Amino acid sequence: MAMDYNRVHAEIKETYIAKNRDYGNSFEKSLDKFGLIAGVVRISDKFERLANLCDRERLSDAQVNEPLADTLKDMANYCIMAAAWLERDK
């Protein structure tokens, strides 16, 4: 389990670096402009996507286009970025 955790944690960090490079620091900018609620909205969007993917996976004739783990990793990244934003000025 620890090896899997470390691998997934490294993948989450790699995704953060790649997306920040591609999109800039848009998440932090939205938090600065609108407050924590901007992060809550994005995390909520990922949660809804996860719930929809779980429903599709449960249905035998549906195909899931994105692995559930990818959505969980995205959600984890948003949670980590929001926590870092909250602690930024301490």
Side-chain angles (χ1 to χ4, degrees), residues 24-43:
N25 202 6
S26 62
F27 185 73
E28 187 174 358
K29 289 177 185 175
S30 67
L31 291 172
D32 288 343
K33 186 172 184 177
F34 301 109
L36 183 58
I37 195 65
V40 171
V41 168
R42 291 204 189 166
I43 293 164

Side-chain angles (χ1 to χ4, degrees), residues 58-76:
R58 189 174 40 85
L59 301 173
S60 61
D61 61 343
Q63 292 184 1
V64 176
N65 293 328
E66 176 180 314
L68 296 174
D70 288 356
T71 298
L72 287 165
K73 291 172 191 175
D74 281 345
M75 185 186 264

